[in-house]
Amino acid sequence: MAAKSARRQQIEAAALYPLDWLEERSGLVGGVKYFLFRKVPRDTSWFHTLGSATLTAFLVQAITGVVLAMYYKPDPDSAYESIQYITNDLTLGWLVRGMHKWGASVFIILMFFHMARVFLFGAYKYPRELNWIVGVLLLAMGMLEGFTGYLLPWDQTAYWATVVGINLNGTAPVLGPFLAQFLSGGAEIGADTLSKFYALHMLAIPGAIAGLIVLHLYLVIRLGVTSPPWSEDAAGRERTEPAPSAGARAGLVRPGGRGGGSA
Amino acid sequence: MFIRYNGLEDGKPSFTTLYSRCAHLGCPVQPNGLVDEEGKKTVGDQGIELTPVNVTGFGCPCHGGQYDTEGNRTAGPPVRALDRTEFSIRNGNLFLGKFYSVAEVQGAGARARIKRYGRQVPGVHVDGPSAWLYPIEVP
């Protein structure tokens, strides 16, 4: 590549100036760079993207949830109408509500895929046991989030699904009936239940999930990413060089690239 | 709630008041029986249609629990009979009182012998060896 022209250098300096300003005063830019450009095994596979995908699904839920919370009314008399308003009258309300509703299923499914990937890759073994435990807690919190959110539309499906769900909790021995009564906020499901579930769904459980995600990511960064189980590097075997690709033979691949030298 | 008038017992009107929540997990229980098409009528300003049913029992649509006309469990996953309420009659009006759970009802109608217990959530055994799992009643 040719030497940069003076004009280009000026533009780059101007673009980087805010980042330098921020870095000198907080060190955050360096932190983000460390996270984005940290070392991972050479043979990291696409399966390793499932964790980030789950995080993205959660962020989508959080953002759409905030928008929904601006228009939803957690009162039995107006909950259903507020959702009707969001779906039919609000600009793009149908889109936000749909994203939140389907995003919930996407979040749970991706969590299970991510859990299966970690399990099948053996990435829960020493020293990552704590990370696995944090992941289990995240799974439980995610399911509770879905359970509490299901009641909020306050229609027939929501009501009866919650009746059955709370009664399922009530079948646990000794403390089950007390848990069921605590969740329903009384003998019957009513206004108290809706407020309680709304508070759990909006404040308590997302807060817990956010905290656990921070811990989960900290452990991933600190402990590093494992190679896939088919990795030859991790098994300590001599790495077999793949035959040069057609592009390499034609001289189109930059020297020192993937199939080439090790450090 | 399902309420049935049982006629006079010792000169006082007697009712059977069954709670329509299934004793398995709380789904709404529906009456089984032949539908009386002629007796269909429309009530209220929203035009709600009511069709009477000759009740031969009750069934739960969720998981298939079946009950007889006294609320005893005859089939399916429910663990006990349908809950009932106490009732009183004041000034010619029927008032429903506290709920209670029922293990079994022998006999029928006004002369039924009801084995009653304190009210429990669905899924809780009130008698038999399984009742030892739930020693404490929820107030």
Side-chain angles (χ1 to χ4, degrees):
Chain A
M1 201 166 156
K4 296 179 189 170
S5 64
R7 174 126 181 88
R8 194 189 164 88
Q9 276 178 322
Q10 264 180 327
I11 295 175
E12 282 187 3
L16 286 174
Y17 180 74
L19 290 177
D20 289 337
W21 185 94
L22 195 57
E23 167 69 9
E24 273 181 44
R25 286 157 183 73
S26 66
L28 289 173
V29 181
V32 171
K33 262 192 178 173
Y34 175 74
F35 172 61
L36 290 175
F37 295 104
R38 69 192 198 278
K39 301 272 181 289
V40 293
R42 186 199 324 252
D43 42 12
T44 302
S45 75
W46 275 99
F47 292 109
H48 287 84
T49 59
L50 285 166
S52 305
T54 314
L55 176 62
T56 309
F58 177 69
L59 289 174
V60 166
Q61 288 302 96
I63 295 171
T64 53
V66 164
V67 175
L68 286 170
M70 292 179 183
Y71 296 96
Y72 172 74
K73 295 178 181 36
D75 180 62
D77 298 323
S78 36
Y80 188 68
E81 277 102 43
S82 65
I83 300 233
Q84 294 280 74
Y85 174 75
I86 291 172
T87 312
N88 298 326
D89 297 329
L90 202 57
T91 310
L92 296 179
W94 55 270
L95 181 64
V96 173
R97 186 199 175 185
M99 283 173 70
H100 196 79
K101 173 190 157 174
W102 293 103
S105 301
V106 166
F107 177 56
I108 300 284
I109 291 173
L110 282 176
M111 255 205 300
F112 273 102
F113 276 144
H114 174 63
M115 181 174 83
R117 195 281 296 170
V118 168
F119 176 71
L120 292 171
F121 279 29
Y124 53 88
K125 295 180 186 169
Y126 175 83
R128 295 177 176 85
E129 300 102 318
L130 182 61
N131 214 8
W132 175 263
I133 294 174
V134 172
V136 168
L137 289 173
L138 275 166
L139 180 65
M141 290 286 117
M143 311 276 250
L144 280 177
E145 184 83 336
F147 179 61
T148 50
Y150 208 72
L151 177 65
L152 301 183
W154 202 247
D155 55 5
Q156 287 288 330
T157 325
Y159 183 85
W160 290 109
T162 308
V163 165
V164 169
I166 290 182
N167 288 330
L168 272 166
N169 281 310
T171 59
V174 183
L175 286 182
F178 289 97
L179 177 62
Q181 198 180 44
F182 166 73
L183 280 175
S184 55
E188 290 281 321
I189 294 182
D192 281 343
T193 321
L194 189 55
S195 309
K196 180 174 294 188
F197 274 40
Y198 190 54
L200 286 172
H201 185 76
M202 275 248 293
L203 304 169
I205 300 178
I209 292 183
L212 286 170
I213 286 180
V214 167
L215 182 56
H216 200 68
L217 281 179
Y218 164 73
L219 285 171
V220 167
I221 296 170
R222 180 180 162 84
L223 297 170
V225 174
T226 52
S227 293
W230 55 78
S231 155
E232 287 169 355
D233 277 342
R237 282 197 282 272
E238 274 294 319
R239 211 170 144 266
T240 55
E241 296 283 315
S245 63
R249 287 197 293 275
L252 292 171
V253 173
R254 191 186 306 190
R258 280 197 77 223
S262 37
Chain B
M1 296 297 304
F2 293 116
I3 302 177
R4 180 181 69 225
Y5 177 57
N6 292 324
L8 292 176
E9 170 72 14
D10 293 335
K12 285 193 303 255
S14 161
F15 289 90
T16 301
T17 52
L18 298 170
Y19 190 38
S20 60
R21 297 274 179 97
C22 183
H24 172 226
L25 282 177
C27 280
V29 160
Q30 307 298 323
N32 294 332
L34 291 175
V35 171
D36 183 9
E37 285 291 331
E38 277 86 47
K40 210 189 284 196
K41 55 182 182 183
T42 311
V43 293
D45 49 352
Q46 285 177 343
I48 299 173
E49 236 182 46
L50 299 177
T51 312
V53 171
N54 297 325
V55 177
T56 57
F58 301 98
C60 180
C62 286
H63 310 101
Q66 302 295 319
Y67 303 89
D68 64 11
T69 50
E70 284 300 311
N72 285 316
R73 170 204 169 262
T74 56
V79 296
R80 57 176 203 263
L82 290 174
D83 295 347
R84 292 173 175 237
T85 63
E86 293 161 3
F87 63 90
S88 56
I89 300 174
R90 281 175 256 158
N91 296 334
N93 294 324
L94 176 68
F95 286 84
L96 296 181
K98 277 175 33 164
F99 283 88
Y100 59 91
S101 292
V102 175
E104 204 199 335
V105 177
Q106 282 155 357
R111 295 185 159 274
R113 292 178 302 285
I114 307 168
K115 289 212 188 87
R116 66 163 69 186
Y117 295 84
R119 185 188 191 186
Q120 298 284 12
V121 293
V124 171
H125 296 258
V126 287
D127 69 346
S130 311
W132 287 98
L133 284 171
Y134 302 94
I136 309 167
E137 269 178 31
V138 182

